[in-house]
DNA sequence: GCCAACGTTGGC
DNA sequence: GCCAACGTTGGC
């Protein structure tokens, strides 16, 4: 069954517009076990809220979908990459990524302030687990947010 | 740039 | 296995 997620990216590094340009992109660089485990749970066709973090303002910018399930993140093996992990080896990968495909950019960006004002979504992990960069979203939360965003 | 929150590491 | 130190995330 299709599941719903929220994934954070700093727009200075990779924004919804960057994904729109590329159409598909690997979601590399995740170095948190809980976030990794959520990515391992994803299946092709799952829908993703693309969240801009560390932005002004931060908030939800659009929608993507999973187009490839979890596979080893190559940056963990690359000494020259900032996400290099010396404990990982190609036969013993630690970190995984999925690939995302661009679906849409919201006509109405939904800032964090506005999200905080929607009473029906206050149990989102976004508010309770502030630092988790990959997190599940319930169908109800998905419906409310995508309706607000206009697409 | 600051700093609170919080996940990870490492000494014991 | 505890927990202090440390590093990172992310809002502001």
């Amino acid at each position: 069954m299709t599941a719903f997620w929220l994934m954070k990216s700093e727009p200075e590094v990779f924004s919804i517009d960057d994904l729109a340009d590329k159409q598909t992109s690997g979601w590399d660089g995740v170095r948190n076990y809980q976030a990794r485990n959520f990515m391992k749970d994803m299946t092709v066709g799952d829908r993703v809220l693309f969240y801009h973090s560390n932005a002004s303002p931060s908030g939800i910018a659009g929608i993507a979908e999973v187009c490839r399930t979890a596979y080893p993140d190559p940056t963990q093996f690359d000494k020259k990459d900032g996400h290099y992990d010396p404990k990982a080896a190609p036969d013993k990968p630690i970190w995984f990524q999925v690939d995302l495909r661009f679906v849409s950019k919201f006509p109405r960006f939904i800032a964090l302030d506005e999200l905080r004002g929607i009473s029906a979504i206050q149990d989102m992990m976004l508010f309770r687990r502030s630092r988790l960069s990959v997190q599940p979203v319930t169908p109800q939360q998905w419906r409310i947010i995508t309706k607000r965003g206009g697409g």
Side-chain angles (χ1 to χ4, degrees), chain A residues 36-115:
Chain A
R36 178 202 68 181
N37 293 343
F38 281 135
M39 286 200 294
K40 284 184 168 183
D41 288 340
M42 294 178 181
T43 58
V44 170
D46 279 5
R47 296 252 149 171
V48 176
L49 295 171
F50 196 116
Y51 182 89
H52 283 178
S53 63
N54 260 314
S56 46
S58 295
I60 298 171
I63 298 173
E65 76 176 12
V66 176
C67 61
R68 181 178 173 189
T69 54
Y71 61 99
D73 175 347
T75 64
Q76 69 193 301
F77 311 125
D78 181 357
K79 284 194 172 72
K80 294 186 296 294
D81 192 283
H83 297 291
Y84 174 66
D85 186 340
K87 294 191 296 298
D91 60 330
K92 278 187 186 162
I94 299 172
W95 305 110
F96 290 74
Q97 65 178 88
V98 295
D99 288 353
L100 295 187
R101 174 187 300 122
F102 175 76
V103 173
S104 67
K105 181 178 176 176
F106 282 166
R108 274 189 73 252
F109 179 86
I110 310 178
L112 182 56
D113 254 7
E114 181 175 350
L115 292 167

